[in-house]
Amino acid sequence: MIFRKILLLTLLTALILSTGCSKEPTVSESSSESSFASIIITPEKSEVSSESSSSETSSDSSEHSSVPEKTPSSGESSVPSITTSSTPETSSSAPEETFPKDYRTLILVNPWNHIPEDYTLELETVQGNYKMDIKAAESARNLLEAAAEAGFNMQLCSAYRTIERSAYLYERKVNQYIGYGYSEEDAKVEAARWVAPPGTSEHHTGLAMDLVSAEYWGYYSDLEHAYEEFDSFEWMYEHCAEFGFILRYPKDKQDITGITYEPWHYRYVGVEAAEYIMENGLCLEEYLEEIK
Ligand SMILES: [Zn+2]
């Protein structure tokens, strides 16, 4: 009888404990013990800029921009995104386990595919103030290290970008074209060829980075297609896949990607996909179509 009581008590305790566990709230802050600042954010919960701006150097003429990127500070507060109108329920981050396995690394964000409202990411420093999602950050650092060993001092000029940041860059570009005499409608179309409208920039995923060699800045002040003539580009093109990165906007795929050729923009997709994509000269859209 006593034994039964003990058994019942044990079962009851187990039941209470397990119920408690299932109610565990979604983790919103990383308990990562790494020395890198690590925060989970959603596109809706955008960051307050850290006052120390990055050393972004250039270009009005592309997704890349001369205005310093804002990077999250660890004491960030949530600022409503100007592009989303989600309810609190949909904007709270869902547990990662509910996403398909490749939800992040193979996520497609392009002019026709907005970043999902429930997309979450955990940022980690790659270089200076530039941060990427933890799935890509370590590989990016390894890639930079390998490039350095090969004699190339690669410098990031863009990585994770908030929706607000994209909105700012896009608006600026639209206004530039309006200044050239374009109608507002035409200005928006033209601007979108160079700067992804908010919500459609791959930089929102934390899986993309823009980088050129330090040497390049000795010759150019903007990001230009001429970067493809540098040895560092050749090295990157040849070795990026070993670290899970692809050249995301190839010259001959502009109709499919919707983005002009960008020899500086690399995207993390994981080693397996990257090697297949680079070996077969595909773009991400084509790869995703193939593995459907
Ligand atoms: Zn880019």
Side-chain angles (χ1 to χ4, degrees), residues 1-286:
M1 191 63 185
I2 289 169
F3 176 73
R4 276 194 181 178
K5 272 187 178 171
I6 289 169
L7 188 70
L8 198 71
L9 230 118
T10 314
L11 281 170
L12 243 149
T13 313
L15 190 73
I16 289 163
L17 278 174
S18 72
T19 313
C21 281
S22 71
K23 281 182 183 166
E24 199 169 57
T26 308
V27 177
S28 64
E29 204 160 310
S30 166
S31 56
S32 164
E33 284 170 19
S34 88
S35 58
F36 297 99
S38 194
I39 344 147
I40 293 178
I41 50 177
T42 69
E44 292 75 39
K45 279 173 129 190
S46 201
E47 79 278 0
V48 169
S49 72
S50 71
E51 289 312 312
S52 57
S53 65
S54 71
S55 58
E56 187 171 10
T57 28
S58 172
S59 184
D60 270 346
S61 62
S62 71
E63 263 259 78
H64 176 77
S65 156
S66 58
V67 182
E69 292 271 339
K70 292 174 180 178
T71 50
S73 62
S74 49
E76 72 182 30
S77 66
S78 61
V79 178
S81 158
I82 58 163
T83 58
T84 54
S85 55
S86 59
T87 59
E89 289 77 43
T90 53
S91 67
S92 69
S93 35
E96 196 185 334
E97 304 82 75
T98 63
F99 296 136
K101 187 166 166 273
D102 293 315
Y103 178 79
R104 290 189 183 185
T105 51
L106 290 178
I107 188 168
L108 181 66
V109 176
N110 65 14
W112 309 279
N113 293 277
H114 278 235
I115 188 155
E117 287 183 354
D118 59 1
Y119 186 81
T120 61
L121 68 166
E122 194 173 345
L123 295 173
E124 204 174 86
T125 298
V126 173
Q127 186 184 66
N129 285 325
Y130 295 110
K131 292 177 166 64
M132 292 179 81
D133 185 82
I134 50 164
K135 292 215 171 190
E138 191 181 356
S139 298
R141 290 194 299 270
N142 291 341
L143 175 60
L144 296 179
E145 209 177 294
E149 277 166 23
F152 302 112
N153 177 10
M154 300 304 293
Q155 296 185 344
L156 267 69
C157 37
S158 187
Y160 168 67
R161 189 182 293 165
T162 64
I163 286 176
E164 285 80 1
R165 173 70 182 162
S166 276
Y168 169 75
L169 294 175
Y170 178 66
E171 282 305 313
R172 196 176 61 155
K173 202 70 184 168
V174 169
N175 288 331
Q176 192 184 326
Y177 277 103
I178 288 172
Y180 293 157
Y182 283 68
S183 69
E184 194 179 335
E185 202 182 328
D186 290 346
K188 281 180 178 172
V189 172
E190 203 56 33
R193 292 180 57 221
W194 299 100
V195 181
T200 68
S201 171
E202 199 177 55
H203 286 280
H204 297 324
T205 64
L207 299 171
M209 62 178 173
D210 293 341
L211 73 171
V212 293
S213 59
E215 186 198 7
Y216 174 81
W217 296 120
Y219 296 90
Y220 295 90
S221 56
D222 280 347
L223 285 179
E224 294 177 22
H225 294 161
Y227 177 57
E228 67 179 1
E229 288 153 25
F230 282 71
D231 290 346
S232 56
F233 169 76
E234 207 173 299
W235 187 91
M236 281 290 296
Y237 190 87
E238 211 169 293
H239 296 279
C240 62
E242 294 162 28
F243 300 87
F245 283 87
I246 57 167
L247 181 71
R248 177 68 177 90
Y249 305 119
K251 197 185 277 181
D252 57 342
K253 306 289 181 188
Q254 301 181 58
D255 290 347
I256 306 171
T257 62
I259 303 284
T260 49
Y261 175 47
E262 292 196 356
W264 52 83
H265 181 114
Y266 286 84
R267 157 69 192 271
Y268 183 79
V269 291
V271 174
E272 192 187 336
E275 286 186 336
Y276 187 86
I277 288 169
M278 293 304 287
E279 272 169 26
N280 293 283
L282 305 175
C283 62
L284 183 58
E285 283 83 358
E286 290 173 313

